[in-house]
Amino acid sequence: MWRAVFNLDKDFILGLFNVCFSFNYFPECLSNARVFFLLKDGKDPGISSSYQPVCLLPTLGKISERLFLIKFNYWLDQNNILHDNQFGFREGSSCDLAIQTMVDIIQETMKTNHLALISLDIKAAYDNIN
């Protein structure tokens, strides 16, 4: 439906998003999700961890969030807020680039110094942090 509205009147949709941004307003109805729990293949239905939660958000809310993210990332880049070693959640950066950067640092450091690398992998880390 929103694609049809956009194709019919692009200025209306643009004006809607611009009004939301100018008033720093995000309608609550666009952030309400419908949550469904899907049983994972081969898992016991009696165990809660056997289910995968799926959130369905309103399309207009997702578009608005994406536009805000674009504007916010542009502001972060213009004001040089993020450290150069911040790889997550940035355009043009990836795990591969982070690993390659780390390997380059290790290879350069090993030429003149001893080196130790400590790595932690905590299962469901963000679920367990207060």
Side-chain angles (χ1 to χ4, degrees):
M1 179 182 86
W2 287 112
R3 182 173 297 192
V5 172
F6 178 76
N7 288 335
L8 185 66
D9 190 357
K10 292 174 179 56
D11 291 333
F12 170 76
I13 298 291
L14 179 62
L16 181 67
F17 289 125
N18 284 336
V19 165
C20 288
F21 289 144
S22 65
F23 287 109
N24 294 325
Y25 177 73
F26 187 79
E28 188 176 327
C29 63
L30 296 181
S31 62
N32 292 335
R34 290 181 175 249
V35 180
F36 297 92
F37 295 93
L38 301 176
L39 181 63
K40 297 175 185 175
D41 288 338
K43 298 291 184 173
D44 181 11
I47 301 173
S48 63
S49 63
S50 298
Y51 292 89
Q52 176 71 39
V54 176
C55 295
L56 299 179
L57 292 164
T59 303
L60 202 58
K62 289 195 271 187
I63 293 169
S64 180
E65 288 175 358
R66 179 68 178 143
L67 291 173
F68 175 79
L69 180 64
I70 291 168
K71 288 174 69 109
F72 185 60
N73 282 334
Y74 178 77
W75 180 82
L76 289 172
D77 288 340
Q78 291 297 345
N79 293 291
N80 202 25
I81 302 291
L82 298 177
H83 193 277
D84 290 338
N85 290 337
Q86 171 67 36
F87 290 95
F89 309 105
R90 292 184 77 179
E91 291 284 329
S93 65
S94 64
C95 288
D96 294 337
L97 184 59
I99 291 169
Q100 184 59 51
T101 301
M102 184 177 69
V103 168
D104 292 344
I105 291 170
I106 290 170
Q107 288 175 340
E108 190 62 33
T109 303
M110 285 177 52
K111 293 176 183 177
T112 58
N113 296 316
H114 294 286
L115 185 70
L117 174 67
I118 299 172
S119 176
L120 296 175
D121 185 10
I122 302 170
K123 181 179 178 182
Y126 291 106
D127 297 334
N128 298 310
I129 293 176
N130 290 334

